[in-house]
Amino acid sequence: MTLRIGLLGAGVVGSGLLRLIEERGAGLEVRHIAVRDRKKAREHVPQGVPVGTVDDVLNDPDIDVVVELMGGIEPALTAVRTAMGHGRHVVTANKALVAEHGAELARLARQANVAFRFEASVAGCLPIVEILQAGLVFDRVDRLFGILNGTCNFILTSGQRDGRGYREALAQAQELGFAEADPTLDVSGMDTAQKLSILASLLTNQRATIDDLAVTGIEDIRVEDHRAAEELGYRIKLLGLYRAGETAALRVAPTLVGADSAIGLTTDEYNVVEVECRYVGWQLHLGKGAGSLPTAAAVLHDLERLTAASSALAPRDDVLALENPRAWRSKWLVRLPPSETSHSAAEIGQVLARYDVQIDELRRSRQRGVGTLVITRQARAGDVTVAARHLDPSAVLLGIEPEA
């Protein structure tokens, strides 16, 4: 049986998908393609396949599945709703769409008896959706954390390994095709937040929104922060973090991990997810998270699995209750940049103690521009933030995430 495909979007990922289908897509046939600019030359478009508008594709009666690779909310949302209403399966790589409307679309898919698959929306070629939904269905995930954005990991790797400042590293990522011309969604942490909300929805069978999620991007990470982390045996990674509990705790932030740990050693555009399960213990999953072909490969995987597909998101309106971001407990690094009014160790200890924050280690770095490094014991994010700002409004605060 041949699966007939209507493709919405033939940009970076869409072109990659066309190439993969051309090379190894047995049983898959592209029947219609929609693009914004029909005059633009595109590679790997099969000969004789019409290139038209979104409506052209949706109204084609000879299509079994619509692959949505346009991105954003609209017109993607309307297109997916329409496709399901016409009885077509849907495969998407659109994390914003799945994060905001995934539960609704899962419900529509079940009502229409069609599949809704979105593996490529979370971590490139890393099949974390299938792993969580199928492979760990018999277990409970108590903790999940990892790198969910290859662009940010590439930029942070360039800063740590090559000593590049943020702007220089970003320019390099854009030149190599790992970052968009407008990288805001990636570097602000919102891309990671959208992906984390999808994973939390899978884990809890409830709709996780990003409205109450603490999100910090990488725009303010400086070379001095990387130097401080290296001096202490850590590396800075933008992590999405989930902890189970009476109320789930979710967080996206630049975070310190051991330099020799699995996540610390994950560099460039790679994604990695660590999962702590109640019964089977720790699992680690690694794969490329940025680029045309890795994401397209995840789309192709969904297409090849369609015969056994079902909607992985719960079609529920239940909203996942989230812990107050200020209550997130962790060890922390507080970096106090050099200044003319540097505090003594006793003063730093007194200020932190005032906010119930205890010091585990304090040192004056000999590296240029790094300043004073304070590692705290376990403390609440809100308390450490207030204490650090009291010491120095320009203080840098990074959580420290323990690994298996």
Side-chain angles (χ1 to χ4, degrees), residues 138-314:
F138 55 86
D139 208 336
R140 168 176 171 171
V141 174
D142 290 327
R143 186 167 157 235
L144 176 150
F145 64 100
I147 299 166
L148 300 175
N149 185 282
T151 298
C152 289
N153 200 41
F154 183 91
I155 292 170
L156 291 173
T157 298
S158 184
Q160 172 264 318
R161 184 178 60 200
D162 306 322
R164 288 187 173 93
Y166 168 74
R167 293 190 181 280
E168 183 184 0
L170 172 58
Q172 183 191 28
Q174 290 171 322
E175 181 181 346
L176 294 174
F178 295 134
E180 301 286 347
D182 180 1
T184 304
L185 185 66
D186 291 321
V187 300
S188 68
M190 290 307 298
D191 174 89
T192 298
Q194 290 170 346
K195 295 170 179 177
L196 182 63
S197 73
I198 294 171
L199 295 179
S201 295
L202 290 171
L203 291 171
T204 63
N205 213 31
Q206 293 179 293
R207 182 164 58 90
T209 68
I210 63 175
D211 297 340
D212 300 319
L213 181 57
V215 181
T216 304
I218 66 169
E219 305 100 314
D220 294 331
I221 298 297
R222 298 292 177 259
V223 172
E224 291 78 12
D225 298 316
H226 288 294
R227 290 174 183 165
E230 288 288 322
E231 182 173 330
L232 296 167
Y234 295 107
R235 287 181 181 166
I236 302 172
K237 300 293 182 181
L238 182 71
L239 297 188
L241 305 110
Y242 162 87
R243 294 177 187 169
E246 291 185 11
T247 54
L250 300 178
R251 177 180 173 86
V252 173
T255 306
L256 294 181
V257 297
D260 294 329
S261 66
I263 290 186
L265 293 171
T266 301
T267 59
D268 299 310
E269 72 273 26
Y270 279 84
N271 282 188
V272 61
V273 176
E274 290 200 31
V275 184
E276 183 183 11
C277 304
R278 178 66 56 88
Y279 306 118
V280 303
W282 280 94
Q283 294 189 354
L284 182 138
H285 307 282
L286 173 71
K288 283 192 175 182
S292 170
L293 294 181
T295 307
V299 176
L300 184 66
H301 174 76
D302 273 346
L303 289 169
E304 292 175 340
R305 301 274 299 185
L306 259 182
T307 54
S310 62
S311 178
L313 277 180

Side-chain angles (χ1 to χ4, degrees), residues 68 72-78 80-81 84 90 92 94-109 116 118 194 197-198 201 207-210 311 313-317:
E68 186 279 303
I73 301 299
E74 288 292 358
L77 176 60
T78 298
V80 170
R81 285 171 173 164
M84 291 178 176
V90 171
T92 182
N94 189 336
K95 62 262 184 182
L97 181 70
V98 179
E100 191 166 333
H101 296 281
E104 172 203 342
L105 295 176
R107 182 185 305 108
L108 290 177
F116 174 49
F118 47 91
Q194 290 170 346
S197 73
I198 294 171
S201 295
R207 182 164 58 90
T209 68
I210 63 175
S311 178
L313 277 180
R316 289 186 163 192
D317 292 322

